[in-house]
Amino acid sequence: MKRFLCIFLAASLLAPSVMAQKPQGTHVIGFYNLENLFDTYHDEGKNDYEYLPDGANKWTEGKYWKKIHNMARVIRAMKDDNKVYHTILGVSEIENRHVLEDLVNDPQIADANYQIVHYDGPDRRGVDVGLLYRPDQFTLISSKSIPFTFEDSEVEFTMDTLEQANFRTRDVLEVIGSIKNPATGADELFAFYVTHLPSRIGGKSGDLRSRGAEIIYRNAMARMQEYPGIKIACMGDMNDDPVDVSMCTYLHGLERIEDVTPTDFFNPFLSMFKAGYGSLAYQGVWCIFDIIMVNSNLASAPKGTFSIKPIVKKKYYGRIFIQPFMVEQEGQYKGQPKRTTSNGAFNNGFSDHYPTFIVISNK
């Protein structure tokens, strides 16, 4: 059944500021699919030709810098709404480190002093994931790029061995670091996983997304064994909804905090999806692909330590960030996210996804 998001539902997500002032020990953790943030130069071995000056999108320097400006505008709008920049912002659909450097240096958000974690991945189009962090809030300890493989999996695949050998998709990014708790003076250990699971384009089977979720889950559980008490957030464009098998079975995402065990994740966007919220419209149906989950150590943390907090209507623990300037006002996609291009023409938009975030606090 199609899920249409009316203007009143969109307006309900324009919730009051998360923080009227910046409370001590409160941090915003978010994710944003930047929708084809390509520069204007060809990367050898990558199929980025449509985003070249003579390509299908006529991707000129002027369009590129408008795109950078627009992405920074959204990040700044979230800061203005929350009264604080994100401590952690995972991103996807970025071509390389260079585009992230241009983004974080945009005058609208340069004062955040965002630092970058990025690895070049094997995706044939050349799109990667990355992570931006504020070094005054988060101390980076380590990072790595986790490849997508088919070995040692419980997923039943539709691809044969030759197809598997030729398959390429984005790696998963793991970032480990600490956030100081001003109440206790302790550095609390965190791991963040940023992903962009395989697309649905071309009818790709959900088993690929289930495998991606399985990879994230196994790495996260290994970190929990290695570092008891570590707090984990998995985020990304899952290309699946919170109710799909990849999210519920292979990433163990549950709807209610009280049901989360040490081998589960709390998915704050599951209840929001059931209530009719959406972060993008895929083939005319509203979905939430932009998901952030947290482990039990962050979902049910001891009092005085960092834990996830409700931020929308004092009920929902996740937020989909929408402002009127981010919404298409006319045409075929009216009411949907205002995208960069529309039917092959430059639309001077933002992204076909809305950003999502959670808030953690020691309060």
Side-chain angles (χ1 to χ4, degrees):
M1 180 178 176
K2 290 188 176 182
R3 303 162 59 87
F4 295 101
L5 195 66
C6 69
I7 188 66
F8 302 106
L9 183 55
S12 72
L13 285 171
L14 302 179
S17 163
V18 170
M19 293 158 275
Q21 299 177 354
K22 180 186 174 183
Q24 208 176 26
T26 300
H27 300 272
V28 182
I29 311 295
F31 173 78
Y32 196 12
N33 180 323
L34 301 182
E35 193 202 11
N36 295 321
L37 183 53
F38 282 82
D39 61 25
T40 61
Y41 306 98
H42 175 57
D43 284 356
E44 190 64 33
K46 301 297 184 181
N47 185 17
D48 58 1
Y49 296 104
E50 62 179 320
Y51 284 94
L52 297 177
D54 59 352
N57 290 309
K58 306 297 181 186
W59 197 241
T60 63
E61 285 287 312
K63 292 177 181 177
Y64 169 71
W65 286 110
K66 286 180 180 178
K67 172 73 171 176
I68 290 288
H69 174 84
N70 288 349
M71 296 294 91
R73 182 182 176 188
V74 174
I75 296 171
R76 179 69 194 200
M78 289 191 283
K79 184 266 181 186
D80 291 342
D81 193 72
N82 292 328
K83 309 304 180 191
V84 63
Y85 281 113
H86 284 54
T87 296
I88 299 290
L89 180 61
V91 294
S92 70
E93 288 199 22
I94 50 102
E95 185 179 17
N96 48 42
R97 184 183 180 90
H98 165 70
V99 300
L100 288 181
E101 289 173 348
D102 285 342
L103 175 62
V104 300
N105 286 315
D106 185 280
Q108 298 171 98
I109 61 171
D111 58 326
N113 190 30
Y114 277 123
Q115 303 300 298
I116 299 166
V117 183
H118 167 263
Y119 293 87
D120 286 317
D123 184 86
R124 297 193 192 281
R125 290 183 63 236
V127 291
D128 301 323
V129 298
L131 182 138
L132 309 180
Y133 70 93
R134 289 179 53 192
D136 60 324
Q137 301 289 323
F138 176 75
T139 301
L140 178 66
I141 296 174
S142 67
S143 65
K144 68 177 181 179
S145 194
I146 304 169
F148 185 103
T149 65
F150 291 89
E151 291 79 21
D152 189 30
S153 175
E154 296 179 5
V155 178
E156 198 170 310
F157 298 110
T158 56
M159 286 183 171
D160 60 32
T161 53
L162 180 60
E163 290 172 320
Q164 292 177 20
N166 290 324
F167 181 70
R168 300 289 183 272
T169 192
R170 283 76 58 174
D171 288 350
V172 175
L173 176 62
E174 178 195 78
V175 178
I176 295 178
S178 64
I179 299 176
K180 183 173 289 293
N181 186 333
T184 64
D187 291 322
E188 297 191 19
L189 192 63
F190 283 79
F192 297 101
Y193 292 90
V194 187
T195 189
H196 186 180
L197 295 184
S199 169
R200 295 183 171 212
I201 294 175
K204 290 190 176 70
S205 175
D207 58 8
L208 297 175
R209 293 181 290 282
S210 291
R211 174 54 179 158
E214 182 183 53
I215 290 170
I216 297 167
Y217 180 78
R218 289 181 176 179
N219 276 269
M221 291 299 107
R223 287 303 187 190
M224 288 181 67
Q225 287 189 347
E226 185 179 6
Y227 302 111
I230 191 171
K231 297 179 175 181
I232 298 177
C234 304
M235 65 183 74
D237 177 353
M238 305 300 185
N239 273 307
D240 268 340
D241 283 310
V243 295
D244 287 326
V245 170
S246 63
M247 297 295 100
C248 292
T249 300
Y250 288 95
L251 204 41
H252 294 242
L254 301 182
E255 182 176 359
R256 302 194 314 161
I257 284 182
E258 53 266 36
D259 295 333
V260 176
T261 75
T263 57
D264 297 315
F265 281 90
F266 169 53
N267 187 345
F269 294 92
L270 207 164
S271 59
M272 296 181 74
F273 177 76
K274 290 181 177 180
Y277 293 100
S279 64
L280 78 159
Y282 179 73
Q283 296 181 347
V285 179
W286 281 93
C287 307
I288 301 181
F289 290 174
D290 308 276
I291 295 170
I292 306 169
M293 297 191 198
V294 301
N295 71 339
S296 58
N297 293 333
L298 195 48
S300 303
K303 186 177 181 180
T305 66
F306 289 121
S307 62
I308 190 170
K309 302 298 180 183
I311 54 176
V312 175
K313 299 180 179 179
K314 298 183 178 180
K315 175 182 179 182
Y316 297 114
Y317 287 76
R319 183 175 173 196
I320 302 165
F321 184 76
I322 306 173
Q323 295 289 300
F325 71 85
M326 300 163 60
V327 181
E328 190 64 66
Q329 301 299 319
E330 58 187 9
Q332 177 183 355
Y333 301 110
K334 183 177 179 179
Q336 298 182 18
K338 184 176 174 65
R339 57 192 67 196
T340 304
T341 60
S342 180
N343 295 318
F346 184 63
N347 196 40
N348 197 24
F350 302 87
S351 172
D352 55 350
H353 293 243
Y354 293 129
T356 57
F357 61 79
I358 62 172
V359 169
I360 63 170
S361 177
N362 61 2
K363 303 295 183 181

